[in-house]
C-alpha cells in the first residue's frame, strides 16, 4: 500500500481488497442475522456501523462498493480526511462519531456527522444544543455510559445517567439511545445488560454496543447498533 493510496480521497478499488471486504461484510451481516434470530429479534433492527478509523482509502472505497453505507469514526479530523470528499458521491451515507468530542470541535462534528454517539457531559450537551440552534439543524444523539466506571474512560457514570438523560432532553437534544465501551479485560455481557436496563427505564429505544469481538453477544442482548472495525476492514493501520 503506497502512502498515496492511504490518503487519497479518489476511488481506487483493488479487486482483491474489494473481494475481501465484501466477504467480511457478508459474514458480519450473517452473524448479526443469526444472533438476532437466537434472541427472537429481526436483523433489520440491528445496524452494522463499520468503523473505518485508520483504514486506508482502498478499504473504505471497497466497503462503499460492497454497499455499506453506515460508518463510524472516532476522531473528527481523521473523519474529515476519510469522508469530506466521498460524502458528495454517496447520497445515503450515514456517519457516526464514536470517539470523544471536545467542545472546540463541536462545530466541525455537527457539520460532518449524522449521529453523535458520545454525548457524555453537561458542557458538551450545552455546546451541541447551541450549535443546533445556530445552524437550525440537529443531529441524532446517543449518550455514552461508562458502564465499567473506568476513570480513564469517557462516558457518564451509570448512577448519573438518569439525571443526565433528563438534562439532555431538557435542552431538546434528540437523544435516541445509549452507547457503551465495556472494559477490555471483563466479560462484556453484564455491561450490555446494564446499558439495556438504563435505556429501558428511561424510554430510550437504541443501544450502541458490541465491537468485533462481541457484537453477536451484544445483538443477543438487544443492540440496535453494533460498531465493527477490524471485523469488517481487517487489521487497522497504525496512525503515524
Ligand atoms: C475502534 C472502535 C470500534 C471498533 O473496534 P473493533 O474491535 O475493531 O471492532 C468500536 N467502537 C469504538 C468506540 C471504537 O473506537
Amino acid at each position: 500500500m503506497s502512502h498515496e493510496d492511504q490518503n487519497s480521497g479518489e476511488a481506487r478499488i483493488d479487486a482483491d481488497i474489494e473481494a475481501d471486504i465484501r466477504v467480511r461484510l457478508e459474514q458480519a451481516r450473517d452473524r448479526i442475522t443469526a444472533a438476532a434470530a437466537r434472541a427472537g429479534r429481526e436483523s433489520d433492527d440491528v445496524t452494522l456501523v463499520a468503523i473505518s478509523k485508520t483504514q486506508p482509502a482502498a478499504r473504505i472505497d471497497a466497503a462503499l462498493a460492497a454497499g455499506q453505507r453506515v460508518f463510524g469514526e472516532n476522531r473528527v479530523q481523521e473523519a474529515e480526511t476519510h469522508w469530506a470528499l466521498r460524502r458528495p458521491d454517496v447520497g445515503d451515507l450515514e456517519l457516526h462519531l464514536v470517539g470523544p468530542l471536545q467542545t472546540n470541535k463541536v462545530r466541525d462534528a455537527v457539520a460532518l456527522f449524522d449521529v453523535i454517539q458520545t454525548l457524555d457531559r453537561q458542557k458538551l450537551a450545552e455546546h451541541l444544543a447551541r450549535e443546533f440552534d445556530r445552524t437550525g439543524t440537529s443531529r441524532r444523539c446517543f449518550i455514552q455510559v461508562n458502564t465499567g466506571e473506568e476513570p480513564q474512560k469517557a462516558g457518564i457514570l451509570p448512577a448519573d445517567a438518569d439525571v443526565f438523560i433528563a438534562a439532555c432532553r431538557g435542552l431538546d437534544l434528540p437523544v435516541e439511545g445509549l452507547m457503551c465501551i465495556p472494559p477490555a479485560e471483563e466479560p462484556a455481557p453484564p455491561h450490555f445488560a446494564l446499558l439495556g436496563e438504563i435505556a429501558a427505564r428511561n424510554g430510550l429505544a437504541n443501544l450502541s454496543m458490541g465491537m468485533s469481538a462481541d457484537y453477536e453477544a451484544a445483538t443477543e442482548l438487544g443492540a440496535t447498533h453494533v460498531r465493527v472495525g477490524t471485523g469488517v476492514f481487517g487489521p487497522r493501520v497504525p496512525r503515524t
Side-chain angles (χ1 to χ4, degrees):
M1 179 75 40
S2 77
H3 190 252
E4 213 173 71
D5 281 340
Q6 292 185 26
N7 295 310
S8 159
E10 21 176 311
R12 197 192 308 248
I13 303 171
D14 177 292
D16 291 344
I17 292 178
E18 189 177 344
D20 177 42
I21 302 278
R22 200 174 282 278
V23 167
R24 286 172 175 278
L25 274 168
E26 270 168 25
Q27 283 172 347
R29 291 186 191 122
D30 286 348
R31 287 182 182 185
I32 290 167
T33 301
R38 288 196 291 277
R41 305 182 60 214
E42 299 288 334
S43 59
D44 283 355
D45 295 337
V46 186
T47 300
L48 170 61
V49 184
I51 306 296
S52 48
K53 66 185 182 196
T54 82
Q55 294 293 342
R59 293 194 159 259
I60 295 173
D61 288 326
L64 284 168
Q68 179 66 25
R69 287 296 178 271
V70 185
F71 293 86
E73 294 276 351
N74 73 338
R75 293 192 186 179
V76 176
Q77 216 161 338
E78 185 183 51
E80 280 167 355
T81 311
H82 281 167
W83 295 107
L85 292 173
R86 290 184 174 85
R87 168 136 248 173
D89 297 330
V90 190
D92 48 354
L93 186 70
E94 185 176 296
L95 278 186
H96 292 236
L97 177 63
V98 301
L101 178 54
Q102 305 305 319
T103 50
N104 64 359
K105 294 271 176 64
V106 161
R107 190 170 288 198
D108 292 342
V110 169
L112 183 68
F113 290 95
D114 302 287
V115 183
I116 309 288
Q117 289 206 7
T118 48
L119 172 53
D120 68 347
R121 60 201 190 278
Q122 182 68 22
K123 187 173 167 214
L124 178 58
E126 288 166 7
H127 277 253
L128 281 169
R130 222 174 299 146
E131 182 64 7
F132 294 164
D133 271 349
R134 191 186 70 81
T135 54
T137 57
S138 74
R139 296 289 179 264
R140 296 159 54 196
C141 294
F142 285 65
I143 289 172
Q144 183 176 355
V145 182
N146 186 357
T147 57
E149 307 190 22
E150 296 171 278
Q152 82 286 6
K153 200 167 266 178
I156 195 91
L157 292 172
D160 300 332
D162 295 2
V163 168
F164 184 59
I165 292 165
C168 291
R169 286 174 163 156
L171 289 166
D172 280 335
L173 296 177
V175 177
E176 65 174 43
L178 303 179
M179 177 270 215
C180 76
I181 309 172
E185 64 285 357
E186 285 180 30
H191 295 272
F192 298 155
L194 172 60
L195 198 71
E197 283 165 26
I198 299 170
R201 72 170 181 248
N202 285 284
L204 289 169
N206 288 344
L207 294 171
S208 172
M209 55 191 200
M211 317 203 316
S212 293
D214 50 27
Y215 65 91
E216 292 158 283
T219 298
E220 289 184 34
L221 287 168
T224 59
H225 294 71
V226 293
R227 310 180 308 266
V228 184
T230 51
V232 165
F233 289 104
R236 277 186 280 279
V237 182
R239 289 187 172 103
T240 46

